[in-house]
Amino acid sequence: MYQRSIIVLPDDTVKDVINAINNAKKSISIKMFVFSDASLLDAVIAAKLRGVHVKVMLNPARRDGEEENEDTRTKLETVGIEVRDSNPCFIITHEKSMVVDEKLAFVKSLNWETKNLTDTRDYAIITSHPKEVHEIMLCFEADWHRKEFDPGTDTKLIWCSVNGRERIARFIDEARHTLFVQNERFQDLVIIERIVRAASRGVKVHVMARPPHTLKIDKLVEGVGGLRIMDDVGIKIHKLKHLKLHGKMLLADGCRAIVGSINLTPGSFDHRRELAIEVNDADVIERLQKIAHHDWDNSHTLDLSDKAIMEDLEYKGEGGSEKLVLNVEVKKHKKDKKHKKHKKK
């Protein structure tokens, strides 16, 4: 019988991923944004050495040019593993997936770097559903060979830049009672509008995001603006207390959910390779319900007042508050900041 299960990090460990790699008999296909964790690297290399056909596709560099996968690429290629850059048709390949023996697939929000296994809220869905596994393999082979990927009109999965915005918008539109949304970034106006409309028709909406200083300076206007629009209509917006939020998860009415790599931004929907999966499996939903409520109970209200945003950006981040035309004295805050730094010295 085909089934789906879930990994929640850091509550769980990466054991299920490593076990799947260790149990591979024929093939492993990995597509990853960042791959640096030593335990996962050792498992993949061990699979190759025992005769498994391993192919790895890595995002070549971040937008700032930082190449985080070069050491991993070298180690993989040294033992004869085929490694290729992700499809150059996309600015970034942010998809995090693995298929084992063309029978078992992992759809993840987490990168294969140690901090995503230990310090961040992240998720992975494991599926043995043949159609879902087949779709992921079709996309992998298309990107590997630089061909167009067309999952067809009856696609089970959520792909960017194929159907991501449409599927997530529809998911939100169909919410009737409750909606939990965990995401690092809220910048896409179509999705923000859908969340606002959900709240206006009586859906109890809970949004969990990261604070403004974690945004790139060139994304502050969209990122902070999106959060404040939702806040202005009474949507509750929180940030985690003891963990960094990296997972991308939507949970509606306690009966269906979306998990994957997609940030709620125009860039993710239109210019990146992304993957998410919609699930309604009772045990998976029950686990997500518990995590969503636990995280909400262990979170703070995100203060989006002008003063709080100013302090967050200027004291914790790298500035950029002037882009937001905040109603506070920018010069005074910057002067106070320098004064405090001087006193610490």
Side-chain angles (χ1 to χ4, degrees):
M1 183 177 176
Y2 309 124
Q3 61 181 8
R4 301 181 189 91
S5 58
I6 188 169
I7 301 170
V8 180
L9 294 170
D11 303 51
D12 303 331
T13 67
V14 75
K15 176 187 69 175
D16 287 343
V17 179
I18 291 178
N19 285 346
I21 296 169
N22 290 342
N23 292 329
K25 300 294 189 293
K26 297 179 181 179
S27 64
I28 301 174
S29 300
I30 298 164
K31 194 186 294 184
M32 192 56 56
F33 180 58
V34 178
F35 183 0
S36 59
D37 181 74
S39 62
L40 288 162
L41 181 59
D42 289 345
V44 171
I45 289 174
K48 170 63 179 178
L49 294 178
R50 68 173 184 270
V52 177
H53 184 204
V54 180
K55 296 199 292 187
V56 178
M57 207 179 314
L58 298 173
N59 191 70
R62 290 182 183 265
R63 287 176 300 176
D64 60 8
E66 183 180 0
E67 297 182 355
E68 298 172 288
N69 294 319
E70 282 307 298
D71 287 346
T72 295
R73 173 190 288 272
T74 299
K75 291 173 182 176
L76 294 173
E77 290 180 336
T78 298
V79 298
I81 292 175
E82 295 179 83
V83 184
R84 290 189 184 177
D85 287 344
S86 49
N87 193 335
C89 290
F90 298 95
I91 295 172
I92 287 174
T93 288
H94 196 237
E95 175 187 345
K96 307 103 165 35
S97 66
M98 178 175 73
V99 177
V100 176
D101 293 335
E102 299 191 19
K103 293 181 179 179
L104 189 69
F106 290 71
V107 178
K108 297 165 284 191
S109 67
L110 62 131
N111 291 300
W112 279 8
E113 55 180 338
T114 305
K115 70 178 182 180
N116 283 161
L117 311 179
T118 58
D119 299 331
T120 64
R121 169 64 73 222
D122 264 302
Y123 304 96
I125 297 293
I126 309 170
T127 178
S128 62
H129 192 290
K131 180 70 169 68
E132 293 166 351
V133 175
H134 180 64
E135 270 189 38
I136 297 171
M137 280 306 305
L138 276 180
C139 184
F140 185 94
E141 291 300 320
D143 285 348
W144 185 266
H145 295 289
R146 309 319 196 214
K147 295 181 179 179
E148 183 178 355
F149 167 60
D150 181 4
T153 56
D154 63 338
T155 175
K156 294 288 185 183
L157 300 174
I158 302 170
W159 295 98
C160 296
S161 55
V162 181
N163 62 353
R165 183 182 282 111
E166 174 191 348
R167 285 284 298 274
I168 290 178
R170 189 168 72 215
F171 180 93
I172 296 168
D173 289 346
E174 291 172 354
R176 293 293 174 262
H177 307 291
T178 60
L179 180 66
F180 282 89
V181 186
Q182 290 185 342
N183 206 282
E184 288 182 273
R185 301 182 183 95
F186 292 79
Q187 297 166 12
D188 188 79
L189 288 178
V190 171
I191 300 304
I192 291 166
E193 177 193 34
R194 289 316 213 280
I195 294 172
V196 168
R197 287 187 176 188
S200 69
R201 67 174 180 268
V203 177
K204 190 174 182 180
V205 179
H206 296 77
V207 166
M208 192 162 285
R210 294 183 70 180
H213 76 264
T214 63
L215 295 167
K216 301 286 186 183
I217 288 181
D218 63 344
K219 298 299 181 182
L220 279 174
V221 173
E222 299 97 319
V224 174
L227 293 174
R228 296 182 96 180
I229 287 169
M230 293 186 290
D231 184 61
D232 284 346
V233 298
I235 293 172
K236 296 180 180 179
I237 302 175
H238 281 203
K239 61 178 179 179
L240 277 170
K241 284 183 183 177
H242 306 300
L243 288 174
K244 292 180 180 179
L245 177 62
H246 184 259
K248 301 91 172 68
M249 186 271 286
L250 297 92
L251 174 65
D253 300 328
C255 64
R256 56 197 181 90
I258 289 176
V259 171
S261 68
I262 304 171
N263 284 309
L264 303 179
T265 70
S268 291
F269 289 126
D270 299 326
H271 304 298
R272 295 185 176 191
R273 172 67 80 207
E274 305 270 13
L275 170 62
I277 183 171
E278 183 172 345
V279 297
N280 57 10
D281 310 72
D283 53 342
V284 173
I285 296 299
E286 182 180 0
R287 182 81 191 281
L288 284 173
Q289 277 273 83
K290 289 179 179 178
I291 292 296
H293 286 284
H294 173 273
D295 284 354
W296 194 258
D297 291 340
N298 290 275
S299 63
H300 293 291
T301 298
L302 186 56
D303 189 344
L304 294 167
S305 66
D306 283 6
K307 181 180 178 182
I309 291 173
M310 167 65 73
E311 291 175 350
D312 182 67
L313 292 176
E314 299 301 331
Y315 285 81
K316 295 180 181 179
E318 299 180 2
S321 56
E322 66 279 358
K323 291 178 174 289
L324 301 175
V325 198
L326 300 171
N327 291 318
V328 289
E329 296 179 26
V330 176
K331 292 181 180 179
K332 181 179 184 299
H333 277 267
K334 289 186 175 179
K335 184 178 179 180
D336 289 345
K337 178 183 176 183
K338 290 180 181 178
H339 178 65
K340 286 185 179 181
K341 284 184 176 180
H342 181 71
K343 285 182 70 176
K344 286 181 180 179
K345 293 179 181 179

